[in-house]
Amino acid sequence: QSGARINISEGSCPERIVTITGPTDAIFKAFSMIALKFEEDINASMTNSTVTSKPPVTLRLVVPASQCGSLIGKGGSKIKEIRESTGAQVQVAGDMLPNSTERAVTISGTPDAIIQCVKQICVVMLESPPKGATIPYRPKPASAPIIFAGGQAFTIQGQYAIPHPDVSPLTKLHQLAMQHPPFTPLGQTTPGFPGLDATTPTSSHELTIPNDLIGCIIGRQGSKINEIRQMSGAQIKIANATEGSAERQVTITGSPANISLAQYLINAR
């Protein structure tokens, strides 16, 4: 209906890239249909919900890093102008997306605000083409960690632990897990991992997280970060904000399995 060409990347990843190509009118039409569809989904999810305030529609655009300067403008002037004239919230990530030269631009608001915002972003991108070669962001397939707790195998999906179907390699892991008691029910204390005990060496891993995303990892009064600590069994320290820096240092300490689970849960936020 929009007349745009739309390509969606393959689906075994937690994120998929939707590429919309065509004349600007077709792109705006496609974006308006996507934004309205998202709003429809929000409305549907609110029908039986106790939530009273309606969350905004949110899209994450993938933009070559070489064009982000023009989008932000001198001293943030362009992005401020886009926010004020469209009513949409616009955030440009400080870091490039993994293994790419692209950055995430998050836009949120009403469908109308988002369409107006996309129009202005397209104008900037047409006026300031990317410089040099662009390495596109390609999401990696997620290998969800398997947790053993209370004699049952679970995989993490979003915020929930889902019982894992019992397939033959898993049965072997399950038996291995049972040889390393005690395992406590999920949600009480640290879940057990197959073949790991107190002698497993601990190590540390550091990652940087943009300031504008740190809030959703910490959660209200630290609820989310405590949940991640409890589920992963890793120690997680978030450094204080340093003046002039757009990101915060996060240090994860624990066994390799604890660290990888903590990283997975942080990325899932």
Side-chain angles (χ1 to χ4, degrees), residues 1-6 20 25-31 33:
Q1 284 183 34
S2 69
R5 226 156 36 91
I6 299 176
I20 303 172
D25 285 355
I27 287 174
F28 302 149
K29 178 73 176 153
F31 264 104
M33 292 173 80

Side-chain angles (χ1 to χ4, degrees), residues 31-150:
F31 264 104
S32 69
M33 292 173 80
I34 289 168
L36 289 165
K37 176 73 188 109
F38 281 9
E39 188 179 51
E40 218 176 89
D41 291 350
I42 290 168
N43 288 340
S45 68
M46 284 184 72
T47 49
N48 298 318
S49 164
T50 53
V51 178
T52 48
S53 60
K54 183 173 166 182
V57 172
T58 300
L59 295 177
R60 209 157 76 111
L61 307 180
V62 176
V63 176
S66 60
Q67 290 177 291
C68 286
S70 306
L71 189 56
I72 294 164
K74 195 167 186 179
S77 57
K78 190 68 192 172
I79 203 162
K80 184 170 182 273
E81 181 194 312
I82 294 173
R83 284 181 189 133
E84 287 172 357
S85 64
T86 66
Q89 280 298 315
V90 190
Q91 296 284 345
V92 179
D95 280 345
M96 286 190 269
L97 288 156
N99 307 312
S100 78
T101 57
E102 297 188 305
R103 280 157 77 176
V105 176
T106 306
I107 56 178
S108 62
T110 64
D112 279 350
I114 283 175
I115 298 154
Q116 293 307 316
C117 187
V118 168
K119 280 186 180 176
Q120 296 208 25
I121 288 171
C122 283
V123 168
V124 171
M125 292 177 81
L126 285 168
E127 286 174 353
S128 311
K131 297 171 193 72
T134 298
I135 302 165
Y137 170 56
R138 291 285 175 264
K140 284 210 162 58
S143 52
I146 296 171
I147 297 173
F148 289 90

Side-chain angles (χ1 to χ4, degrees), residues 217-227 229:
I217 288 155
I218 295 170
R220 192 183 286 264
Q221 294 178 328
S223 59
K224 285 292 164 209
I225 197 74
N226 286 337
E227 196 179 283
R229 284 183 182 119

Side-chain angles (χ1 to χ4, degrees), residues 171-181 183 194-195:
T171 312
K172 289 175 190 165
L173 281 173
H174 204 156
Q175 288 163 352
L176 177 62
M178 292 306 100
Q179 293 162 18
H180 291 265
F183 287 101

Side-chain angles (χ1 to χ4, degrees), residues 1-23:
Q1 284 183 34
S2 69
R5 226 156 36 91
I6 299 176
N7 177 60
I8 301 179
S9 66
E10 61 94 21
S12 59
C13 300
E15 293 184 307
R16 294 166 77 173
I17 303 287
V18 179
T19 308
I20 303 172
T21 317

